[in-house]
């Protein structure tokens, strides 16, 4: 069913957009690694409650920071991973890789476990502390936890470096009343996104879980395959994110990861979760080239209210 939904999304998108000629295959969600599974443990009644949107944003940021790392690269656990954003205040992610040889947990395992945690909270409606155990052939290799607390500093040095990059990631027109605008990456003024809302409301959970799936796709495919197009779908299987290359020199997976992260923060800042078209342009003013174009659209009820 998942693959069928992806095919439907591609067919619908093809009516509206032209793809540049390329022999590269489209990118989709990767298969589950052989023998890998997850198990969720969430105390009931909950020991604390999280802001749901804060959970989604923290998770998008976690996956965005993991994306440059190879899918199969072994990981060192992060003690406390947080996101310096008001909605995510008081939530952090803790990783434990207790037994087994070094390298038992790789980047893909941790990303899939994180996504499983978010989907569990979204499905049950209980946004509270939980642990997701990762197993390979029924042997536990580690866990990813969502915990309540506001540590004064993120303990892990890698997390400190990550958190320091988060301030105001976008500039330009992000007024909630504007149907179109431009995002200029504060870290790179030559990285520009033009976007336009279409007025069709989509649940924030659907848009943000589609972005999470996109970040997993980018990590899996981004180092070994040339980019032509990609399709990600929300956990509800109703919201589609589709991106096409728009230039003979397509964007890198890192560029596309930054693109979807900035779109997530912009929708949150404007509190507008709607269908959208967008273009990514790279280069100095006067020499910018359009390297990618894409859209969010809803396969479900267009009158659905924003979560």
């Amino acid at each position: 069913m998942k693959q069928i939904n992806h095919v439907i999304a591609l067919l619908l998108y093809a009516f509206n957009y032209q793809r540049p000629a390329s022999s590269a295959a489209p990118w989709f969600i990767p298969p589950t690694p052989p023998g890998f599974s997850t198990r969720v443990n969430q105390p009931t009644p909950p020991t604390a409650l999280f802001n749901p949107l804060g959970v989604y944003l923290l998770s998008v940021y976690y996956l965005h920071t993991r994306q440059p790392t190879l899918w199969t690269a072994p990981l060192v656990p992060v003690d406390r991973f947080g996101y310096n954003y008001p909605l995510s205040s008081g939530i952090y992610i803790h990783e434990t890789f207790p037994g087994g040889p070094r390298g038992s947990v790789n980047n893909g395992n941790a990303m899939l476990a994180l996504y499983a945690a978010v989907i569990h909270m979204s499905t049950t409606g209980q946004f509270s502390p939980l642990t997701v155990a990762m197993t390979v052939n029924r042997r536990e290799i580690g866990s990813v936890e969502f915990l309540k607390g506001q540590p004064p500093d993120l303990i892990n040095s890698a997390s400190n470096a990550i958190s320091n990059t988060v301030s105001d990631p976008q500039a330009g027109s992000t007024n909630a009343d504007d149907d179109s605008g431009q995002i200029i990456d504060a870290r790179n003024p030559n990285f520009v996104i033009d976007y336009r809302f279409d007025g069709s409301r989509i649940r924030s959970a659907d848009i943000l879980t589609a972005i999470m799936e996109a970040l997993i796709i980018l990590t899996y495919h981004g180092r070994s395959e040339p980019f032509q197009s990609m399709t990600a779908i929300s956990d509800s299987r109703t919201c589609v994110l589709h991106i096409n290359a728009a230039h003979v020199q397509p964007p890198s997976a890192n560029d596309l990861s930054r693109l979807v992260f900035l779109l997530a923060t912009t929708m949150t800042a404007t509190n507008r979760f709607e269908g959208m078209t967008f273009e990514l342009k790279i280069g100095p003013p006067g020499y910018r080239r359009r390297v990618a174009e894409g859209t969010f659209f809803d396969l479900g009820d267009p009158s659905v209210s924003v979560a």
Side-chain angles (χ1 to χ4, degrees):
M1 178 61 70
K2 190 174 197 179
Q3 195 68 23
I4 291 172
N5 278 332
H6 280 144
V7 172
I8 292 171
L10 275 175
L11 291 174
L12 288 171
Y13 190 81
F15 283 111
N16 299 305
Y17 286 85
Q18 299 252 339
R19 287 183 300 228
S22 171
S23 60
W27 293 356
F28 294 118
I29 192 71
T32 302
F36 179 79
S37 62
T38 58
R39 184 179 65 254
V40 179
N41 178 28
Q42 187 173 40
T44 303
T47 57
L49 295 176
F50 299 145
N51 180 313
L53 194 51
V55 169
Y56 290 125
L57 286 172
L58 173 61
S59 302
V60 166
Y61 191 59
Y62 174 95
L63 295 173
H64 172 56
T65 60
R66 288 291 195 203
Q67 179 275 318
T69 305
L70 282 170
W71 180 257
T72 55
L75 292 183
V76 175
V78 175
D79 188 73
R80 293 187 178 185
F81 181 100
Y83 180 21
N84 184 23
Y85 193 89
L87 291 172
S88 299
S89 177
I91 313 171
Y92 67 94
I93 295 168
H94 173 74
E95 297 173 337
T96 305
F97 309 155
R102 180 176 175 81
S104 294
V105 177
N106 63 37
N107 192 37
N109 297 152
M111 296 178 81
L112 292 173
L114 182 281
Y115 190 52
V118 175
I119 297 312
H120 177 85
M121 286 188 271
S122 181
T123 301
T124 63
Q126 183 171 312
F127 289 82
S128 62
L130 58 71
T131 301
V132 178
M134 296 175 279
T135 64
V136 174
N137 298 325
R138 300 185 179 182
R139 180 177 66 87
E140 186 169 333
I141 58 172
S143 65
V144 175
E145 298 177 90
F146 277 81
L147 297 173
K148 185 75 173 179
Q150 188 57 52
D153 295 301
L154 298 177
I155 295 173
N156 184 275
S157 60
S159 294
N160 278 322
I162 290 167
S163 66
N164 289 338
T165 68
V166 182
S167 52
D168 180 13
Q170 64 275 330
S173 175
T174 55
N175 190 310
D177 296 326
D178 292 340
D179 289 331
S180 61
Q182 186 175 82
I183 307 166
I184 302 174
D185 190 349
R187 300 192 331 193
N188 177 8
N190 295 327
F191 191 98
V192 177
I193 305 164
D194 291 327
Y195 66 89
R196 176 174 293 277
F197 291 112
D198 68 13
S200 60
R201 293 185 296 169
I202 303 175
R203 293 194 316 147
S204 57
D206 289 336
I207 284 179
L208 294 171
T209 55
I211 287 174
M212 289 180 216
E213 182 169 293
L215 291 165
I216 291 171
I217 292 169
L218 290 168
T219 307
Y220 181 80
H221 294 280
R223 293 291 190 92
S224 59
E225 303 171 38
F227 176 71
Q228 174 194 0
S229 66
M230 63 172 286
T231 302
I233 303 182
S234 65
D235 176 60
S236 67
R237 321 319 291 165
T238 61
C239 176
V240 177
L241 165 59
H242 187 88
I243 305 175
N244 285 325
H247 193 274
V248 292
Q249 294 182 328
S252 67
N254 290 0
D255 289 334
L256 295 171
S257 176
R258 190 68 179 165
L259 164 68
V260 297
F261 172 69
L262 292 177
L263 290 173
T265 58
T266 296
M267 287 187 174
T268 303
T270 59
N271 195 30
R272 288 187 67 170
F273 293 90
E274 302 178 6
M276 170 194 279
T277 57
F278 54 85
E279 294 182 344
L280 172 61
K281 300 176 181 178
I282 296 178
Y287 297 93
R288 285 182 183 139
R289 68 183 190 278
R290 183 170 60 95
V291 297
E293 61 187 7
T295 185
F296 288 93
F297 61 93
D298 190 17
L299 292 174
D301 182 357
S303 65
V304 67
S305 61
V306 175

